[in-house]
């Protein structure tokens, strides 16, 4: 039984459980890195409150994790029309400790990929412009 999903008896509906702790998130991150299952990783992210990202990630976030989050936005959140959640997540990532240092160390290819994903999002144009600025 996964921490982020449980079945309700009778109706077969899926409900989101309590948000992950830093430890449980890192366990799922490790599993994602082995299996590369972006849909499953997207479901994990979906259960997270973006406002908790600075605390959840603390100093454990790295460029690979940011790229995976952007990949989940591209392959999970955009196809399921969850643009607002995706924008909130990307904005929250910019508030994580060491974010500015991480972006300085990212390759131009990664920055270009992130920019392309941000361009596909719909919503608050001011926020989208701000995200482009922060991730460049």
């Amino acid at each position: 039984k996964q921490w982020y999903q449980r079945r309700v008896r009778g109706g077969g509906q899926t409900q989101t459980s309590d948000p992950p702790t830093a430890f449980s998130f890192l366990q799922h991150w490790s599993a994602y890195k082995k299996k590369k299952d972006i849909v499953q990783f997207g479901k994990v992210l979906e259960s997270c409150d973006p406002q908790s990202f600075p605390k959840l990630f603390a100093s454990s976030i790295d460029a690979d994790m940011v790229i995976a989050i952007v990949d989940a936005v591209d392959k999970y959140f955009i196809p399921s029309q969850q643009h607002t959640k995706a924008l909130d997540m990307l904005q929250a990532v910019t508030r994580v400790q060491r974010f500015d240092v991480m972006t300085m160390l990212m390759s131009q290819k990664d920055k270009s990929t992130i920019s392309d994903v941000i361009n596909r999002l719909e919503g608050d144009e001011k926020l989208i412009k701000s995200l482009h600025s922060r991730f460049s």
Side-chain angles (χ1 to χ4, degrees):
K1 189 194 264 189
Q2 300 292 329
W3 57 264
Y4 57 87
Q5 202 175 49
R6 66 173 183 250
R7 295 271 177 203
V8 177
R9 288 188 181 198
Q13 298 172 326
T14 302
Q15 287 185 337
T16 301
S17 201
D18 292 333
T21 63
F23 178 75
S24 63
F25 185 87
L26 289 175
Q27 285 182 315
H28 285 282
W29 167 243
S30 294
Y32 162 74
K33 288 194 312 187
K34 290 177 187 168
K35 295 180 181 178
K36 298 294 183 194
D37 185 349
I38 199 64
V39 172
Q40 199 65 27
F41 188 60
K43 289 178 183 179
V44 171
L45 287 171
E46 187 176 33
S47 72
C48 297
D49 175 8
Q51 299 308 313
S52 72
F53 279 15
K55 182 179 177 186
L56 182 67
F57 297 127
S59 61
S60 63
I61 197 167
D62 60 17
D64 288 340
M65 192 179 294
V66 172
I67 298 300
I69 291 169
V70 171
D71 197 31
V73 166
D74 185 35
K75 295 181 175 110
Y76 181 79
F77 290 93
I78 291 175
S80 63
Q81 299 296 309
Q82 296 186 62
H83 294 263
T84 301
K85 176 82 172 188
L87 286 168
D88 290 346
M89 279 193 311
L90 293 177
Q91 183 180 35
V93 166
T94 68
R95 294 185 181 128
V96 173
Q97 187 179 7
R98 297 181 7 182
F99 173 79
D100 293 325
V101 172
M102 272 188 309
T103 56
M104 286 191 307
L105 300 174
M106 282 183 183
S107 70
Q108 275 308 118
K109 180 182 176 194
D110 288 340
K111 289 179 180 182
S112 177
T113 300
I114 292 168
S115 181
D116 291 345
V117 171
I118 293 170
N119 282 336
R120 294 182 51 223
L121 290 167
E122 299 170 2
D124 182 345
E125 291 299 322
K126 185 176 176 183
L127 175 55
I128 291 170
K129 185 176 180 179
S130 170
L131 288 173
H132 274 296
S133 174
R134 293 299 310 272
F135 279 97
S136 63

